[in-house]
Every structure is written in structure tokens, then in C-alpha cells.
Amino acid sequence: MHLLIFKTNIESKKKVKSLNPVLNKHSDILDWTIDLEDIDNVLRIEATSNITESDIIDMVSMRGFTIKTLTD
């Protein structure tokens, strides 16, 4: 398992809910959260090693959101 962390423009519960079908049904995503109180609206994903940051960025971008990897 590894943790993937992203900065997003997802800023409401309604927008978070719109990602449920995409992220909840992906077999390599074990758990995910979006911190709406963080200035960066951080998306944290616990996933298997079979999924990459690019895969997540593509999935979220296709829903019309801005997303980029957060580094330390």
C-alpha cells in the first residue's frame, strides 16, 4: 500500500460526492479523503502499488477538476 497526496480545487461536499463513483469503484484505491478545510483541498489516497499518480490525475481531471501532486 502507498499514500498518494494531491492538491485540488475540490471545495465542496457536493464536488466530493461527484467523485464517489470514480474513486470508490476502482479496485486499486483502498481509501480516500478530501480535506475541505485545508487551503489546498488535499486529496489523500491509500492505494495498491498497481495505480500511479498519473492514473489518479487522469481520473479526477476527467471529472473537470484541477489536481496536481503535492510534494514534501
Side-chain angles (χ1 to χ4, degrees):
M1 179 182 79
H2 63 278
L3 184 62
L4 305 169
I5 302 174
F6 304 92
K7 176 180 179 175
T8 73
N9 69 337
I10 301 165
E11 49 205 27
S12 71
K13 289 182 181 183
K14 183 178 180 180
K15 290 179 180 181
V16 171
K17 192 174 182 179
S18 73
L19 285 176
N20 281 341
V22 176
L23 299 179
N24 286 345
K25 293 187 177 166
H26 198 289
S27 61
D28 291 313
I29 296 175
L30 307 173
D31 194 24
W32 64 277
T33 60
I34 297 178
D35 186 350
L36 297 176
E37 302 205 5
D38 187 289
I39 193 165
D40 291 327
N41 299 306
V42 174
L43 168 62
R44 289 178 182 81
I45 296 181
E46 291 179 31
T48 68
S49 57
N50 296 329
I51 195 166
T52 66
E53 289 178 347
S54 306
D55 296 330
I56 301 295
I57 290 170
D58 289 345
M59 284 191 294
V60 174
S61 295
M62 288 178 73
R63 288 288 200 191
F65 299 110
T66 302
I67 178 171
K68 65 180 187 178
T69 304
L70 266 181
T71 56
D72 291 338

